[in-house]
Amino acid sequence: MEFMVMILAAAVRSGTPIIFATLGEILTEKGGILNLGLEGIMLVGALTGFAVSFYTGQPWLGIGAAFLAGMALVSLHAFVSITLRGNQVVSGLALTIFGTGVSAFLGQRFIGLTITGLGRVAVPGLSTIPVVGRIFFEHDLLVYVSYFLVAFLWWFLVSTRAGLHLRAVGDTPRVAEAMGIDVTRVRYLATLLGGGIVAVGGAYLSVVYTNIWTEGMSAGRGWIAVALVIFAIWHPGRAAFGAYLFGGVVAFQLRLQAAGTRVPIPLLMMLPYLLTIVVLVFITIRQGKGILFGSPASLGQPYFREEST
């Protein structure tokens, strides 16, 4: 029992950066823009968060700077995808390559350095609940922010007029335009805010999870987040479940390594990505049978305003 509680608590921390990345991508895709640059954005966010925290000694400043850096980086993708109506797949992949390269180049001076990140804060009352308290309420504040963000985005998409406008833009932008909604403005806002949230996921890795910067430290979590958006069917609640599932796999393989298991370490490190492939195959099969989906109808398609006249 004690081992399981430790694994589940570790799954929450390990899954938190994936939650941020997945929620950011859901927000972006709900507006009809496909962003495959999550890996690059997370790395830029991780480097920015670490660098600002290192020079200022303020982790929250680092996280805020990472958010702004993510918005700045994804603005390139927004300009290409929305204003120039370019290919969103190519633009997203270019963003990943650029973010990976620039973070590796600028981050060389920070390799081997450490910072003081966010400490753990037990939630009064809730942390004393047997089992559940230790799993969910004995973490750093950014984990609690992720809880709030899941609930807020869920409420925003389902229960607010702005959320309805966003979904209308992602499904039928021509109808949304006829309703008086500024499609370009909504898509820009969703893409920029989504990119900022993704970058916070990267900052969590360097500022909170490890307190160090290493090249390529996102280790494919951006791609996992892209797959999780489909796994979650663009739903924040299911995204959280999926992120903790992947986080649990990561935590489990780390515990097995620490316990000195005879299973080859490369095989253990494959587990999260093997699970990603299994999930994608499962979803693709269901999609082929017409069982799912709720994807935005205009996802990845540029909007030409003149076509509505």
Side-chain angles (χ1 to χ4, degrees):
M1 183 65 181
E2 180 67 18
F3 179 75
M4 285 304 301
V5 172
M6 289 177 58
I7 290 292
L8 292 175
V12 172
R13 293 194 76 221
S14 181
T16 296
I18 304 176
I19 286 181
F20 279 109
T22 307
L23 294 180
E25 182 66 2
I26 287 176
L27 183 62
T28 301
E29 292 194 7
K30 279 293 185 181
I33 299 299
L34 177 65
N35 180 10
L36 297 181
L38 304 194
E39 189 74 6
I41 297 172
M42 289 187 76
L43 286 171
V44 170
L47 175 61
T48 305
F50 183 88
V52 173
S53 300
F54 178 77
Y55 286 120
T56 66
Q58 299 293 328
W60 284 108
L61 278 181
I63 293 166
F67 180 81
L68 295 177
M71 291 182 68
L73 184 60
V74 83
S75 67
L76 300 173
H77 179 63
F79 180 71
V80 172
S81 302
I82 302 171
T83 301
L84 301 182
R85 304 181 181 94
N87 188 299
Q88 297 177 21
V89 174
V90 175
S91 177
L93 293 177
L95 206 62
T96 287
I97 296 171
F98 176 76
T100 302
V102 76
S103 62
F105 175 70
L106 298 178
Q108 292 179 358
R109 71 187 67 177
F110 299 108
I111 293 176
L113 302 177
T114 61
I115 59 173
T116 301
L118 298 178
R120 298 193 180 194
V121 179
V123 179
L126 297 178
S127 62
T128 59
I129 300 174
V131 182
V132 174
R134 290 185 58 193
I135 295 173
F136 292 104
F137 301 110
E138 291 186 354
H139 298 287
D140 55 86
L141 291 178
L142 211 50
V143 170
Y144 305 139
V145 171
S146 72
Y147 297 164
F148 169 79
L149 192 58
V150 170
F152 175 79
L153 191 58
W154 190 342
W155 169 79
F156 171 78
L157 292 173
V158 174
S159 305
T160 68
R161 181 182 295 272
L164 177 63
H165 288 178
L166 177 64
R167 288 187 286 128
V169 166
D171 286 329
T172 52
R174 188 178 302 178
V175 174
E177 188 84 34
M179 293 169 58
I181 300 172
D182 189 333
V183 174
T184 298
R185 184 169 66 90
V186 171
R187 285 190 164 183
Y188 260 103
L189 282 174
T191 305
L192 294 178
L193 290 175
I197 295 170
V198 172
V200 170
Y204 186 88
L205 291 169
S206 61
V207 178
V208 183
Y209 196 61
T210 63
N211 301 143
I212 60 173
W213 157 258
T214 57
E215 182 180 334
M217 68 186 307
S218 57
R221 289 177 174 84
W223 298 114
I224 291 176
V226 172
L228 268 183
V229 172
I230 304 172
F231 172 80
I233 318 176
W234 291 264
H235 190 286
R238 283 189 284 266
F241 170 77
Y244 291 147
L245 178 63
F246 280 91
V249 173
V250 173
F252 183 67
Q253 62 99 357
L254 289 176
R255 292 298 187 281
L256 284 181
Q257 290 184 42
T261 178
R262 295 183 178 180
V263 179
I265 291 177
L267 182 62
L268 293 175
M269 294 178 69
M270 286 171 50
L271 288 178
Y273 310 102
L274 184 62
L275 182 59
T276 304
I277 295 172
V278 171
V279 167
L280 286 177
V281 170
F282 174 74
I283 290 172
T284 302
I285 292 174
R286 289 178 64 86
Q287 188 179 24
K289 295 179 179 178
I291 296 175
L292 295 175
F293 267 175
S295 63
S298 297
L299 179 62
Q301 301 173 10
Y303 175 60
F304 295 90
R305 188 175 183 180
E306 61 272 17
E307 290 183 350
S308 62
T309 59

